[in-house]
Amino acid sequence: MARMKLKELESHLQQVEEFDEPKILLEQYPTRPHIAACMIHTIASTYGDIEDRSILDLGCGCGVLSIGSVMLGAGHVTGVDIDVSALDTAQQNIEDFDIDNVDLVNLDVREVDNVLRRGLFDVAIMNPPFGTKHNKGLDMLFLEKGLKLASRAVYSLHKTSTREHVLKKAESWGAKPQVLAELRYDLPSTYKHHKKASVDIQVDFIRFEVPR
């Protein structure tokens, strides 16, 4: 099967519906189509970690990473999110794209490894909350759960300003982290307290090889 080109993947992902009313307490920022496409395409083309793999999308939101994974040949995807309304949008997106190998699960990340078992997933992908405001440390909790459930690797986005902490913590858990790219994450003025139309945040796209 010829792999879809990056620009074509991004074009498809631009059609994915985003949050109707993003929740500030959940740090609900959409994963931009460009970033989502770059993530999934790199995971597939450089590491062979998408095609025919079982994927866990932690904090899947409206499903852009799940849908991108299926477009590049994922065997099966499980999307997990705490927010029912986000999952409703994700379900609609999945139906709109006529996808039949994505399951959505309404679950708090804190409980994910009590409900889902290791061995079900080859790879975990995520764009976790950055752990700011009321969610300090939540980004690392997402990563920790991903490392517990994936058998091959975890791919995640983290603020570049936290790189040293993220890499050191991951290594202490036995993972082998590798910064694949530094990206400019364009946050739209989603919430009323945002003064500018958008703000750019530097984020790292990191691969964490799971300890055998």
Side-chain angles (χ1 to χ4, degrees):
M1 183 178 75
R3 183 173 294 128
M4 188 182 292
K5 289 187 166 53
L6 176 60
K7 284 291 182 189
E8 186 183 355
L9 178 62
E10 182 178 346
S11 177
H12 284 303
L13 295 183
Q14 284 170 350
Q15 299 167 43
V16 174
E17 293 293 326
E18 297 178 349
F19 300 103
D20 284 335
E21 295 180 359
K23 298 176 176 65
I24 190 168
L25 288 175
L26 299 179
E27 288 190 63
Q28 286 181 333
Y29 301 107
T31 306
R32 294 310 216 191
H34 176 66
I35 286 183
C38 286
M39 286 177 70
I40 299 300
H41 202 271
T42 299
I43 296 168
S45 59
T46 306
Y47 297 98
D49 274 342
I50 295 289
E51 196 167 339
D52 297 326
R53 302 291 188 194
S54 176
I55 309 288
L56 173 65
D57 182 358
L58 263 185
C60 65
C62 299
V64 67
L65 293 177
S66 294
I67 291 167
S69 296
V70 169
M71 287 181 172
L72 292 194
H76 188 271
V77 181
T78 301
V80 174
D81 206 282
I82 193 173
D83 183 36
V84 173
S85 60
L87 290 174
D88 287 343
T89 303
Q91 183 61 45
Q92 188 60 56
N93 282 325
I94 289 163
E95 290 171 9
D96 289 346
F97 280 95
D98 200 22
I99 287 170
D100 62 4
N101 58 339
V102 175
D103 287 329
L104 299 175
V105 183
N106 180 215
L107 199 57
D108 189 321
V109 69
R110 296 170 183 84
E111 300 297 322
V112 72
D113 53 334
N114 294 328
V115 177
L116 305 174
R117 60 180 175 80
R118 184 165 189 176
L120 288 176
F121 309 103
D122 300 309
V123 172
I125 56 175
M126 62 184 85
N127 176 14
F130 290 136
T132 55
K133 302 206 174 290
H134 309 284
N135 294 324
K136 193 167 176 59
L138 198 55
D139 54 335
M140 299 310 295
L141 179 62
F142 269 75
L143 177 57
E144 183 181 13
K145 299 297 186 179
L147 289 169
K148 284 182 176 179
L149 288 167
S151 62
R152 288 177 58 85
V154 175
Y155 295 85
S156 185
L157 295 176
H158 297 271
K159 287 174 77 171
T160 301
S161 60
T162 66
R163 180 186 295 174
E164 189 178 346
H165 170 67
V166 171
L167 299 187
K168 191 176 291 186
K169 194 73 173 173
E171 286 170 349
S172 77
W173 290 331
K176 292 181 182 174
Q178 179 185 3
V179 179
L180 304 182
E182 188 175 317
L183 306 169
R184 197 177 81 245
Y185 196 105
D186 172 34
L187 286 183
S189 58
T190 318
Y191 306 115
K192 289 188 176 68
H193 71 273
H194 287 169
K195 302 290 190 289
K196 299 177 182 175
S198 69
V199 60
D200 287 346
I201 294 179
Q202 295 300 122
V203 297
D204 288 343
F205 175 33
I206 309 178
R207 181 182 196 264
F208 301 87
E209 186 179 324
V210 174
R212 298 291 180 192

